[in-house]
Amino acid sequence: MKKKTINPTRSQFNILRQICNFIPPREVSKIARATGVEDKARTFKPWSHVVSLVYAQLTHSIGLNDLCDSLQLHSGPLSSVRGATAPSRNGLSNANRERSAAMAEQLFWRVKEHLGQQSPGFVAGRPQGAAFRFKMPIHVVDSTVMELVADCMDWAKHWRRKAAAKTHMRLNLQSLLPNFVIIDTAGEHDNKRAWELCAGVKSGEIILFDKGYVDFGHLRDLDERGAFWVTRAKDNMAYEVVQPMPQSKDQKILEDEVIRLSNPHKPAPELMRRVVALVEIDGEEREMVFLTNNLEWSPRSVADLYRCRWQIEVFFKQIKQTLQLADFLGHNANAVRWQVWMALLVYVLLRYLSYVSQWAHSFTRLFTILRAVLWANLDLWPLLACYGTAKGSFRNLARPEQAYFPGFL
């Protein structure tokens, strides 16, 4: 049988320009003026700064020299991306250090909003996995630590001889898109950020988080706001049983009871549901203890909901292993924030491409295909179609999470 050849159609514009065209044309200059970045920009314009950092993510640039040399060698095709210019090493370093990262943050949220207006189903998503029967929005809260190479950065001191930054995130489970993000140092405990991360959760919505975010005062606040939450109980939690729940027919549900804390020193929920279940992890069953404020769900629903929290781990794994969040272009706090926000922006752009084109392969494959042809004048949509967009094969995928973009297929 003759092997199928890939012949994508030619285009007037290169792939990088077509990807950057998803960013609203006047939004960068508008945000630059609002954040004061425009006042600090002379020859190296804010748009060129954004395009440079998008390119750094798409090509996995390992340093300033790598990025600047590559862009200068392709200065001609680069100028077709709305007049973007290649930066010098010192110019880019200074921009990352001096220009407020609030610009990158606002640009990320504005692009996400813009893409949601173009395709409402993109940000709405749909129920998936064990949470398919829950129609209300489900939020997942977690954090990831990004180790920094230099151990002399006082702003990011984590352990004795290491530095690290931490990204706290509230992820929408249906769309797997961030709804709230905090980028800070890694030295602060997770539960210090729980109030901020959950401030936008509305009545009737569900939020899932690990026991690192457990703050009983915060749990009571969510309870009073009418939001439902599921988390894990800490090992040293002192409680008393108020009422045992009916025995479940599921043999993997070991205990199900309504409890209250014993002599709480701080505000806490009046009543909580405690569910002990056997959960399969890496092929082995482990006993886990869950807490929730919903007294009506079945104990299996409580355990299944918490299992959905793993999707945010898949999200962090995708962006950290594929995008450039290992080698930082600058080690000051502002430069790190710029790079993280731009990584999230590129992630949203790639997810939008996968949504519109109905991409059926892995995140890594989409990334590597685009990286290989960034400067080629090929039509983006036929290019993706040539690689089996509509009829993707999952036979050669090693792990289940590689087989799809969670939330779309």
Side-chain angles (χ1 to χ4, degrees):
M1 185 173 64
K2 188 175 180 180
K3 187 176 181 180
K4 179 183 176 182
T5 59
I6 297 176
N7 296 309
T9 57
R10 304 291 296 179
S11 171
Q12 183 180 357
F13 308 117
N14 58 52
I15 294 294
L16 179 62
R17 172 169 176 169
Q18 294 176 66
I19 294 174
C20 290
N21 280 347
F22 290 111
I23 302 174
R26 299 178 181 85
E27 207 62 42
V28 172
S29 57
K30 186 188 303 183
I31 296 173
R33 288 193 298 270
T35 56
V37 169
E38 185 72 36
D39 300 333
K40 298 181 179 181
R42 296 181 182 177
T43 58
F44 187 43
K45 299 300 182 182
W47 172 246
S48 298
H49 189 192
V50 169
V51 173
S52 298
L53 294 182
V54 167
Y55 180 81
Q57 293 295 331
L58 290 172
T59 59
H60 217 271
S61 300
I62 60 175
L64 289 172
N65 288 329
D66 177 23
L67 174 59
C68 296
D69 291 346
S70 178
L71 289 176
Q72 288 171 7
L73 287 170
H74 295 89
S75 58
L78 178 64
S79 65
S80 69
V81 187
R82 299 184 199 165
T85 58
S88 65
R89 185 182 185 280
N90 290 337
L92 181 56
S93 177
N94 181 73
N96 287 338
R97 181 176 62 253
E98 300 297 334
R99 297 179 183 181
S100 173
M103 174 183 165
E105 179 179 356
Q106 292 183 27
L107 180 63
F108 168 79
W109 296 119
R110 181 63 190 96
V111 169
K112 178 174 176 281
E113 179 186 1
H114 171 73
L115 297 179
Q117 292 170 352
Q118 298 295 315
S119 303
F122 172 63
V123 294
R126 66 178 187 179
Q128 56 174 316
F132 71 94
R133 55 186 178 274
F134 294 92
K135 305 305 179 184
M136 65 284 287
I138 302 176
H139 306 272
V140 188
V141 169
D142 204 354
S143 65
T144 185
V145 174
M146 296 164 291
E147 294 187 5
L148 304 177
V149 176
D151 60 359
C152 57
M153 292 176 285
D154 293 336
W155 72 270
K157 190 173 182 180
H158 182 35
W159 290 323
R160 186 174 181 181
R161 298 187 64 184
K162 291 186 178 180
K166 181 180 285 188
T167 299
H168 302 266
M169 185 174 296
R170 174 160 55 88
L171 197 71
N172 183 288
L173 184 64
Q174 281 87 348
S175 66
L176 283 187
L177 295 176
N179 281 347
F180 196 88
V181 181
I182 299 174
I183 303 170
D184 207 346
T185 63
E188 194 172 43
H189 196 277
D190 286 346
N191 64 16
K192 301 294 184 182
R193 293 295 189 178
W195 294 80
E196 295 176 71
L197 288 166
C198 300
V201 177
K202 301 177 182 178
S203 176
E205 297 181 349
I206 302 173
I207 186 161
L208 316 174
F209 44 86
D210 201 359
K211 56 185 175 182
Y213 283 94
V214 171
D215 178 334
F216 289 111
H218 176 234
L219 297 184
R220 179 168 181 170
D221 176 69
L222 290 175
D223 204 3
E224 293 173 347
R225 285 159 48 190
F228 300 114
W229 46 265
V230 178
T231 185
R232 286 178 60 194
K234 294 185 177 181
D235 298 335
N236 60 350
M237 185 183 72
Y239 66 93
E240 57 186 34
V241 178
V242 175
Q243 175 188 348
M245 299 294 286
Q247 182 66 34
S248 173
K249 296 180 180 180
D250 191 336
Q251 296 182 353
K252 295 187 177 181
I253 303 299
L254 306 182
E255 297 178 31
D256 185 10
E257 52 200 12
V258 178
I259 66 168
R260 68 163 59 98
L261 294 184
S262 302
N263 301 321
H265 300 289
K266 296 180 180 180
E270 294 183 7
L271 296 176
M272 294 183 290
R273 178 101 167 268
R274 179 178 179 270
V275 176
V276 182
L278 293 176
V279 179
E280 185 175 339
I281 300 177
D282 297 331
E284 297 181 1
E285 288 189 341
R286 290 176 51 189
E287 183 178 309
M288 302 184 74
V289 183
F290 306 108
L291 290 178
T292 182
N293 62 337
N294 190 296
L295 306 182
E296 298 179 357
W297 291 334
S298 70
R300 172 48 54 192
S301 294
V302 175
D304 286 344
L305 271 172
Y306 189 83
R307 286 180 58 193
C308 295
R309 197 193 66 83
W310 175 250
Q311 292 295 348
I312 197 171
E313 304 288 353
V314 175
F315 171 87
F316 286 139
K317 186 175 183 179
Q318 285 179 342
I319 64 172
K320 292 177 74 173
Q321 291 188 352
T322 306
L323 301 177
Q324 184 51 290
L325 288 174
D327 299 303
F328 283 85
L329 303 178
H331 292 139
N332 60 83
N334 197 67
V336 169
R337 289 189 173 95
W338 262 103
Q339 192 160 337
V340 174
W341 281 114
M342 296 309 296
L344 294 176
L345 174 63
V346 170
Y347 175 82
V348 169
L349 293 176
L350 293 182
R351 285 193 67 85
Y352 185 72
L353 288 177
S354 73
Y355 174 80
V356 175
S357 66
Q358 298 182 358
W359 182 256
H361 295 292
S362 68
F363 180 86
T364 303
R365 189 176 186 193
L366 176 62
F367 174 83
T368 53
I369 288 172
L370 295 176
R371 181 181 61 181
V373 294
L374 275 180
W375 298 116
N377 286 16
L378 300 174
D379 199 336
L380 181 60
W381 304 116
L383 172 69
L384 298 181
C386 285
Y387 282 89
T389 297
K391 299 180 180 179
S393 172
F394 305 131
R395 289 177 297 175
N396 297 324
L397 298 173
R399 296 184 299 274
E401 64 267 21
Q402 289 182 304
Y404 58 92
F405 265 136
F408 294 141
L409 297 178

